[in-house]
């Protein structure tokens, strides 16, 4: 690479500079206020009535059955009875009678009833808890890890410097070797090692978006890979491969030779570690099973697909690629620019689909200097 091709401003962001900030893209249950649900409240005449009615309420109409177990039942002399939609236009008296409440309790509870809106979902984070409290007393169990994700304070300065360096590498490879195509890097976070590095290859095949190529390159480090030369004659004949296809098909260790040379010849990346952990043999896996009780599969069995790996993408992935990353069992995705058809924040948050059998964490890396920080 010619030294003169590098824009001078790029040189300013060298090692030790953490000008990117990774903001977690949280699912709606963490990022939005709880919707409200309308309930009937009963206003008691005195606090002394509470204990006598509570016994029957918790037996015949428990909060759990209404999905309201995150709320306390009582506020001063007010008691939550049930959701308005649950009683189908019956009177409260009729409804409570049908559930088997005693005459005395029905009388106490139905004396003064009004409608009121309470939070429908449990507070997941402290800010939601504080908002919920203003409406109705709620129960809350703080989740330290999620609080850190939400307020963006989970990354150390060292990790932020690493995020900045990965951006510098992605951006340099994209602009200097790949005509500004989207690029991606797979990192083994146990030791910040580059496992694979790829750029979009849609000129070879329309589905070869950058993350798809990246996943294939990771597979090659584990003696796999679907787009190896021997399987690709058909692709090559259909999609005329002026686009350095030989370089693409000959990648065996996850990193194309020209990227490797680029990294090794550039002082900015001299401290980047390169190369995936080699696939373990049957014997080493067996001995790990016998000798350790570690729960982390990456530690125990070594790499399998992208299990435990982090992926950094210059652009937010589309739905196809985001799904491929689910199938590959990626641990985290960091992306730097939003895409118009992005599937992690722009169009949808794929990682919030509960029915999927794997969920990665998603971070959008934003420039600190633009004051773009998440919160
Ligand atoms: Zn894609």
């Amino acid at each position: 690479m010619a030294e003169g091709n590098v824009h001078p401003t790029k040189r300013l962001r060298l090692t030790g500079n953490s000008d990117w900030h990774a903001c977690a893209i949280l699912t709606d249950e963490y990022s939005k206020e709880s919707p409200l649900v309308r309930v009937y409240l009963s206003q008691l005449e005195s606090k002394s009535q509470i204990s006598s009615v509570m016994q029957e309420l918790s037996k015949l109409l428990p909060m759990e059955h209404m999905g309201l177990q995150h709320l306390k039942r009582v506020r001063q002399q007010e008691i939550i009875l049930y959701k308005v939609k649950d009683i189908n236009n019956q009177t409260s008296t009729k409804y409570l009678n049908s559930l088997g409440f005693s005459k005395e309790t029905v009388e106490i509870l139905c004396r003064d009833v009004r409608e009121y809106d309470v939070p429908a979902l449990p507070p997941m984070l402290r800010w939601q808890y504080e908002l919920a409290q203003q409406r109705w007393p709620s129960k809350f169990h703080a989740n330290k890890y999620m609080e850190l994700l939400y307020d963006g304070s989970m990354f150390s300065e060292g990790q932020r410097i690493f995020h900045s360096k990965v951006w510098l590498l992605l951006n340099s490879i994209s602009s200097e070797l790949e005509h500004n195509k989207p690029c991606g890097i797979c990192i083994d976070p146990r030791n910040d090692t580059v496992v694979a590095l790829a750029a979009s290859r849609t000129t070879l095949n329309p589905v070869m978006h950058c993350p798809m190529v990246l996943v294939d390159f990771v597979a090659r480090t584990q003696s796999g890979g679907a787009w190896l030369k021997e399987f690709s004659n058909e692709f090559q004949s259909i999609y005329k491969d002026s686009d350095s296809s030989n370089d693409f098909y000959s990648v065996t260790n996850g990193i194309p030779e020209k990227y490797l040379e680029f990294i090794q010849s550039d002082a900015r990346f001299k401290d980047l570690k390169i190369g995936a952990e080699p696939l373990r043999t049957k014997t080493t896996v067996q001995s790990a099973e016998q000798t350790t009780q570690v729960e982390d599969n990456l530690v125990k069995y070594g790499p399998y697909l992208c299990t435990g790996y982090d992926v950094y993408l210059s652009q937010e992935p589309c739905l196809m690629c985001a799904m491929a990353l689910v199938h590959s069992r990626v641990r985290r995705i960091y992306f730097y620019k939003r895409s118009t058809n992005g599937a992690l924040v722009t169009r949808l948050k794929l990682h919030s689909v509960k029915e999927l059998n794997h969920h990665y964490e998603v971070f959008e890396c934003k420039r600190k200097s633009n004051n773009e920080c998440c919160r």
Side-chain angles (χ1 to χ4, degrees):
M1 177 202 65
E3 194 72 10
N5 289 345
V6 181
H7 193 275
T9 54
K10 278 188 195 159
R11 286 290 179 204
L12 296 176
R13 283 182 266 116
L14 301 186
T15 51
N17 204 344
S18 63
D19 55 354
W20 289 85
H21 183 85
C23 304
I25 305 288
L26 297 176
T27 57
D28 287 352
E29 57 185 337
Y30 293 97
S31 58
K32 290 194 173 166
E33 213 178 305
S34 167
L36 299 173
V37 61
R38 184 148 287 203
V39 297
Y40 280 115
L41 293 183
S42 171
Q43 173 81 38
L44 306 184
E45 277 181 305
S46 72
K47 282 193 175 173
S48 59
Q49 292 175 317
I50 292 174
S51 61
S52 71
V53 297
M54 275 306 279
Q55 220 173 2
E56 282 183 57
L57 275 172
S58 50
K59 196 170 136 212
L60 299 171
L61 207 51
M63 295 288 265
E64 290 76 15
H65 288 189
M66 299 183 276
L68 295 176
Q69 61 273 25
H70 55 284
L71 301 174
K72 294 187 177 168
R73 187 134 212 176
V74 180
R75 177 175 74 177
Q76 305 289 346
Q77 282 162 235
E78 290 179 301
I79 291 192
I80 294 178
L81 292 179
Y82 32 72
K83 289 181 180 172
V84 168
K85 70 175 177 57
D86 286 349
I87 73 163
N88 292 329
N89 296 327
Q90 301 174 66
T91 61
S92 288
T93 315
K94 200 172 169 194
Y95 183 59
L96 293 177
N97 281 333
S98 74
L99 293 175
F101 278 83
S102 69
K103 199 167 159 253
E104 300 74 42
T105 306
V106 173
E107 257 172 38
I108 296 173
L109 290 177
C110 296
R111 192 190 58 87
D112 182 2
V113 175
R114 70 176 174 112
E115 293 183 19
Y116 185 70
D117 292 330
V118 294
L121 300 174
M124 308 299 284
L125 295 170
R126 184 156 295 280
W127 71 270
Q128 293 167 323
Y129 169 65
E130 280 160 11
L131 267 179
Q133 284 295 94
Q134 293 170 17
R135 194 139 265 289
W136 190 265
S138 306
K139 298 172 192 168
F140 176 59
H141 305 285
N143 179 331
K144 232 177 173 179
Y145 181 76
M146 292 309 298
E147 295 289 344
L148 288 178
L149 274 187
Y150 178 77
D151 73 15
S153 61
M154 71 175 294
F155 295 111
S156 66
E157 180 64 6
Q159 285 168 312
R160 284 198 289 270
I161 289 171
F162 186 74
H163 298 157
S164 304
K165 187 177 291 184
V166 170
W167 162 250
L168 190 61
L169 179 57
L170 282 175
N171 195 36
S172 307
I173 286 185
S174 174
S175 61
E176 293 170 39
L177 301 178
E178 291 292 352
H179 309 286
N180 295 318
K181 285 181 196 148
C183 288
I185 296 181
C186 179
I187 298 284
D188 183 340
R190 293 174 299 169
N191 42 19
D192 286 346
T193 304
V194 181
V195 172
L197 223 166
S200 158
R201 279 290 173 271
T202 47
T203 42
L204 293 178
N205 182 314
V207 302
M208 285 182 177
H209 296 188
C210 158
M212 303 293 278
V213 178
L214 187 67
V215 165
D216 201 66
F217 282 6
V218 172
R220 293 180 197 195
T221 69
Q222 299 161 16
S223 311
W227 287 326
L228 291 166
K229 193 161 193 155
E230 57 263 40
F231 304 118
S232 306
N233 292 335
E234 203 182 329
F235 290 151
Q236 282 178 294
S237 59
I238 299 170
Y239 305 103
K240 293 296 176 203
D241 51 349
S242 57
D243 193 10
S244 61
S245 64
N246 281 333
D247 187 58
F248 171 81
Y249 292 120
S250 64
V251 172
T252 52
N253 66 352
I255 305 169
E257 202 57 41
K258 64 174 176 180
Y259 301 160
L260 209 55
E261 284 167 14
F262 178 87
I263 294 170
Q264 286 164 348
S265 66
D266 192 320
R268 294 173 296 174
F269 309 119
K270 67 175 190 313
D271 48 350
L272 262 185
K273 286 174 270 188
I274 304 287
E277 179 191 333
L279 203 61
R280 295 186 195 175
T281 62
K282 245 184 178 162
T283 358
T284 54
V285 170
Q286 275 166 357
S287 69
E289 274 177 337
Q290 284 158 8
T291 53
T292 60
Q293 288 288 315
V294 193
E295 282 193 3
D296 185 336
N297 283 335
L298 183 58
V299 174
K300 195 166 172 182
Y301 299 110
Y304 169 71
L305 302 176
C306 297
T307 300
Y309 285 165
D310 294 345
V311 159
Y312 293 73
L313 303 169
S314 59
Q315 284 191 11
E316 182 189 1
C318 72
L319 185 54
M320 171 182 75
C321 296
M323 206 52 224
L325 294 164
V326 170
H327 292 311
S328 313
R329 303 290 186 267
V330 165
R331 185 183 80 134
R332 282 182 183 158
I333 298 175
Y334 299 86
F335 69 88
Y336 293 82
K337 285 183 222 158
R338 292 193 182 193
S339 310
T340 48
N341 62 347
L344 299 182
V345 69
T346 306
R347 293 286 184 92
L348 74 156
K349 294 177 182 172
L350 184 69
H351 52 298
S352 71
V353 177
K354 288 208 163 62
E355 289 75 14
L356 294 176
N357 62 354
H358 175 74
H359 297 92
Y360 38 61
E361 290 175 355
V362 177
F363 297 87
E364 179 177 14
C365 296
K366 300 178 181 186
R367 232 181 246 290
K368 268 188 193 169
S369 47
N370 289 357
N371 258 345
E372 278 182 341
C373 225
C374 32
R375 282 147 211 122

